């Protein structure tokens, strides 16, 4: 999987998501390590979710993880809080704001293909 494919998958997972439960502005940068390495951000403003392939310097939280973990979170297969508590993601900044990801329903994604 490439970085571009990962960003596209996350963007599709949150496309048209109802983020109305998130009452405040939210900006999370994801730093992906290993396969599909790179940085991108997810922003919630006025109930809308945007995913962009850029760094976000005025972010609330910085999440560092692997592509497979991020895919599971975006597919709704892994709770972001559980991922944090089990060390699958590292969060710098406002952990509470990063946990707001669980308030945004995601669109089901097809199962990811693993490389052999």
């Amino acid at each position: 999987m490439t970085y571009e494919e990962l960003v596209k998958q996350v963007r599709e997972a949150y496309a048209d998501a109802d983020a109305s439960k998130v009452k405040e502005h939210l900006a999370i940068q994801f730093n992906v390590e290993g396969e599909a390495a790179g940085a991108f951000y997810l922003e919630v403003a006025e109930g809308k979710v945007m995913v962009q392939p850029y760094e976000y310097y005025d972010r609330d939280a910085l999440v560092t993880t692997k592509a497979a973990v991020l895919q599971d979170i975006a597919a709704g297969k892994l709770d972001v809080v559980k991922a944090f508590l089990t060390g699958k993601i590292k969060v710098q900044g406002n952990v509470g704001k990063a946990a707001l990801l669980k308030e945004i329903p995601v669109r089901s994604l097809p199962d990811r293909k693993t490389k052999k």
Side-chain angles (χ1 to χ4, degrees):
M1 161 172 295
T2 67
Y3 165 77
E4 291 80 11
E5 290 169 334
L6 177 63
V7 172
K8 181 180 177 189
Q9 278 191 350
V10 173
R11 185 179 286 143
E12 288 173 0
Y14 289 98
D16 302 320
D18 177 11
S20 61
K21 288 185 179 181
V22 180
K23 301 295 183 196
E24 56 200 291
H25 180 264
L26 174 64
I28 300 173
Q29 179 175 317
F30 294 94
N31 284 356
V32 180
E33 298 177 328
E35 182 183 9
F40 68 94
Y41 72 88
L42 178 145
E43 180 178 24
V44 177
E46 299 177 12
K48 304 282 186 201
V49 180
M50 291 187 314
V51 176
Q52 297 295 331
Y54 311 108
E55 292 187 39
Y56 196 109
Y57 294 103
D58 193 23
R59 61 190 173 249
D60 297 304
L62 172 66
V63 174
T64 303
T65 190
K66 297 188 180 297
V69 173
L70 189 53
Q71 285 177 301
D72 286 346
I73 291 169
K77 295 178 181 178
L78 178 61
D79 179 80
V80 68
V81 174
K82 185 174 182 178
F84 175 72
L85 293 174
T86 58
K88 292 182 178 183
I89 65 172
K90 295 176 187 166
V91 179
Q92 294 176 331
N94 191 326
V95 176
K97 280 215 169 182
L100 289 174
L101 279 177
K102 70 181 190 170
E103 300 297 329
I104 306 169
V106 292
R107 183 182 290 177
S108 292
L109 294 174
D111 285 339
R112 61 184 152 83
K113 296 176 184 168
T114 55
K115 283 181 148 179
K116 290 188 177 188

